[in-house]
Amino acid sequence: MRTALCDRFGIDYPIFVFTPSEKVAAAVSRAGGLGVLGCVRFNDAADLDAVLDWMDANTDGRPYGVDVVMPAKIPTEGSAVDIDKLIPAGHRDFVAKTLADLGVPPLPADEDRNDGVLGWLHSVARSHVEVALRHPIKLIANALGSPPIDVIEQVHAAGVPVAALAGSAKHALAHVRNGVDIIVAQGHEAGGHTGEIGSMVLWPEIVDAVGDTPVLAAGGIGTGRQVAAGLALGAQGVWMGSAFLTAAEYDLGVRTAAGTTVVQEAMLAATSADTVRRRIYTGKPARLLKSRWTDAWDADNAPEPLPMPLQNILVSEAHQRMSEGTDPTAVAMPVGQIVGRMNEIRPVAEIMAELVAGFEQATRRLDDIRDR
Amino acid sequence: MRTALCDRFGIDYPIFVFTPSEKVAAAVSRAGGLGVLGCVRFNDAADLDAVLDWMDANTDGRPYGVDVVMPAKIPTEGSAVDIDKLIPAGHRDFVAKTLADLGVPPLPADEDRNDGVLGWLHSVARSHVEVALRHPIKLIANALGSPPIDVIEQVHAAGVPVAALAGSAKHALAHVRNGVDIIVAQGHEAGGHTGEIGSMVLWPEIVDAVGDTPVLAAGGIGTGRQVAAGLALGAQGVWMGSAFLTAAEYDLGVRTAAGTTVVQEAMLAATSADTVRRRIYTGKPARLLKSRWTDAWDADNAPEPLPMPLQNILVSEAHQRMSEGTDPTAVAMPVGQIVGRMNEIRPVAEIMAELVAGFEQATRRLDDIRDR
């Protein structure tokens, strides 16, 4: 399974995997794909630097990339304390009451409170870019579309291509005009920030719109058959995320007695119908696991979610508390509809091997249908 | 492009096309697919009988099918007059005011008012089945899932297989248990009644769930590449609808000076982002072209849509008035996200030829990627 992107990046398979876990990212790169480490969880760039040092030591010289979250329009800026003041008391009360109603335990008194994902802030995302460019990264992707032009130029000056997510052909064309090198066409099925156009319609539409710019198919891919579908529709590769949240190497979060996190337990149990697309995680529409937490925000008494970055700061301690709880029905987690197929913990190498074998099998089936 | 369904139905290509137009259905069958005539517009079964006589005379002996709309649960039943009384005055007032606000002209005084789609009624749908079985039909499909068991038995007794739409693996399995022979796996992208799970995730999930029962991929298919994607994901054929609403043979509705209907003009202009999924057409969630009419129902002052079959009866005269108007921004039309690719009026044979050639091209591309 080789496309021009394999030659360009020096990878065996055109499989790009976004993951917040450096263990998973490194394993993907070692297995012949391109692991892309999500930076948004690093409020302190020094922590990212240390993790990238680890990546450098554990990828056997195979290429990897990073993913930043940089809104095109510069949102509210400032320190965590400044931003905190912009959150209405009614919203805080709703969160506190909801957690009490759901029976979510408080954090231990001696545990640090999560400040919320400051990676949405331009200043923090810029620090991620600075740090990443000190490492031998092969790709910087931006989860919120085109980064600012000066950032694209900075990354290009370092010889690194830029990828950007797009949920419509119009946005994809704007990215190309801004200098973006690779478009991640993110269909409605996808986890996290996603638009309304389904992968089946979106992927070929973006492929046709952007011409020579390579497109990665994202949203709904978890098996080799789905890789084949993405490449049949004209993509040069695939971009995956959700399917690796239940990888054996994934080690973020607090383990329960079962050896998994409470969020993983929730994902293993979920069907493809158990997601919702809501603004409650970041302030922009993102697909999340349906849970009693998302149900609470759907109730008549729930407030409207705040804009980015305030909403995530509002709910960050709640996320932390639910993640450290023991109730898989009360969690907050971005994941795509492919969650219905995430039914066991598997090593990255096994997931990758199925993608390659499943692709092969699907294309042989198509040959039979064509040549019969 | 041949699968087992081609042998079973005596068709050249596993392409099933649902259409309300007998001209389009016959042209599809003549071109080697299976034309499936939608019956829901025939309030009087004698009209359907006459149209099927026409089909028999114009399909060159090629197979065709029909599509009925039979809810699994028997909804409100009765004559048009009885049902009319169940519609609240406030809803009628909203419709009248909206049409006035949109500047939609009244119907000519001497024109018959559309009674609303009584095909949603069990009694009417049963009359469609009775009439259809008097013709050499090769398939009865039900747009709302399993028909009642006695209807399935009646159709099987005539040697005709039954297909049913499903938006989840759970529903598909229930259909199979009820005796349904073919599952139409209808992804979120689709026009008309549709669920929340995107085609990329839904199709393989239903394929895996139902085992030997053949699955038709529906929702988002308009080109041969998308046919290839559907078959790569394990479907034995595809089920299309929207893409044939702009077929040259389509002759329903009032023509404007341009030779098209006002609804076709709206579809030709729309992008894939210009649809919404709402309950305002039938009472159940259905994907429609976004228009000033759908916007009006999204406004704060709009009432909640009524349940099926009341909602369609409420809006049927409005639909008729808008369809006979001249303003493509004020229309009501079920259509899928593939509408973004419906940019010209093309003969059925041309659409079919592209599906076959595009499939071939996509599979050759996959071979190259696999064998490189």
Side-chain angles (χ1 to χ4, degrees), chain A residues 52-302:
Chain A
L52 294 182
D53 282 340
W54 184 91
M55 290 284 291
D56 296 337
N58 287 277
T59 37
D60 298 352
R62 308 301 300 256
Y64 72 90
V66 298
D67 178 278
V68 297
V69 181
M70 214 174 240
K73 286 181 202 152
I74 295 178
T76 310
E77 192 54 79
S79 70
V81 174
D82 292 341
I83 291 172
D84 230 33
K85 294 182 188 148
L86 300 174
I87 296 178
H91 280 72
R92 291 192 195 282
D93 293 345
F94 172 78
V95 169
K97 181 172 184 314
T98 300
L99 291 172
D101 291 350
L102 297 179
V104 177
L107 294 178
D110 59 345
E111 182 171 323
D112 282 347
R113 266 62 183 161
N114 192 330
D115 281 338
V117 174
L118 300 180
W120 317 119
L121 298 183
H122 249 267
S123 52
V124 177
R126 281 176 183 267
S127 75
H128 293 155
V129 172
E130 295 279 352
V131 165
L133 289 178
R134 283 185 233 137
H135 294 263
I137 58 162
K138 299 297 180 213
L139 179 71
I140 291 191
N142 184 25
L144 289 177
S146 292
I149 305 269
D150 72 293
V151 173
I152 296 176
E153 287 170 354
Q154 176 191 13
V155 176
H156 282 173
V160 174
V162 175
L165 266 71
S168 72
K170 190 173 135 191
H171 287 156
L173 281 170
H175 298 346
V176 172
R177 278 195 300 273
N178 290 340
V180 167
D181 306 279
I182 295 175
I183 303 296
V184 179
Q186 170 108 325
H188 180 72
E189 293 90 330
H193 294 127
T194 186
E196 296 192 346
I197 305 171
S199 293
M200 188 58 46
V201 170
L202 182 73
W203 297 343
E205 197 163 81
I206 289 185
V207 165
D208 290 353
V210 302
D212 291 338
T213 304
V215 173
L216 300 178
I221 298 183
T223 67
R225 277 180 283 177
Q226 287 152 331
V227 174
L231 301 182
L233 292 167
Q236 287 204 18
V238 298
W239 175 270
M240 299 172 65
S242 301
F244 288 83
L245 293 171
T246 46
E249 290 85 346
Y250 192 94
D251 68 348
L252 302 175
V254 178
R255 303 286 126 177
T256 67
T260 50
T261 66
V262 70
V263 172
Q264 284 178 322
E265 285 166 33
M267 292 189 293
L268 292 171
T271 75
S272 59
D274 295 327
T275 71
V276 291
R277 182 172 166 271
R278 298 285 186 274
R279 296 203 299 112
I280 65 173
Y281 198 90
T282 68
K284 291 182 186 283
R287 186 174 301 284
L288 311 172
L289 202 58
K290 187 178 188 308
S291 69
R292 292 196 298 141
W293 169 255
T294 64
D295 290 346
W297 282 90
D298 283 346
D300 288 341
N301 67 327

Side-chain angles (χ1 to χ4, degrees), chain B residues 262-294:
Chain B
V262 70
V263 172
Q264 284 178 323
E265 285 166 32
M267 292 189 294
L268 293 170
T271 74
S272 59
D274 295 327
T275 71
V276 290
R277 182 173 166 270
R278 298 287 186 272
R279 296 203 299 112
I280 65 173
Y281 199 88
T282 68
K284 291 181 186 283
R287 186 174 301 285
L288 311 172
L289 203 57
K290 188 178 186 310
S291 68
R292 292 196 298 140
W293 168 255
T294 65

Side-chain angles (χ1 to χ4, degrees), chain A residues 1-7 14 168 188-189 196-208 219-221 223 225-236 271-273 275-276 287 337-338 340-341 359-360 362-372, chain B residues 1-7 14 168 188-189 196-208 219-221 223 225-236 271-273 275-276 287 337-338 340-341 359-360 362-372:
Chain A
M1 193 204 308
R2 289 189 69 80
T3 68
L5 287 178
C6 295
D7 303 324
S168 72
H188 180 72
E189 293 90 330
E196 296 192 346
I197 305 171
S199 293
M200 188 58 46
V201 170
L202 182 73
W203 297 343
E205 197 163 81
I206 289 185
V207 165
D208 290 353
I221 298 183
T223 67
R225 277 180 283 177
Q226 287 152 331
V227 174
L231 301 182
L233 292 167
Q236 287 204 18
T271 75
S272 59
T275 71
V276 291
R287 186 174 301 284
Q337 293 183 338
I338 198 67
R341 207 172 268 279
F359 168 82
E360 162 102 15
T363 59
R364 299 279 175 210
R365 180 171 190 273
L366 288 176
D367 288 352
D368 288 345
I369 292 171
R370 184 188 63 211
D371 301 332
R372 226 184 105 194
Chain B
M1 192 204 308
R2 290 190 68 81
T3 68
L5 287 178
C6 295
D7 303 324
S168 73
H188 181 71
E189 294 89 330
E196 297 191 347
I197 306 171
S199 292
M200 189 56 48
V201 170
L202 182 73
W203 297 344
E205 197 163 80
I206 288 186
V207 165
D208 290 353
I221 297 182
T223 67
R225 277 180 284 177
Q226 288 152 330
V227 174
L231 300 183
L233 292 167
Q236 287 204 19
T271 74
S272 59
T275 71
V276 290
R287 186 174 301 285
Q337 292 182 340
I338 198 68
R341 207 172 266 281
F359 169 82
E360 163 102 15
T363 59
R364 300 277 176 213
R365 179 170 190 273
L366 288 176
D367 288 352
D368 288 345
I369 292 172
R370 184 189 62 212
D371 300 332
R372 227 185 107 197

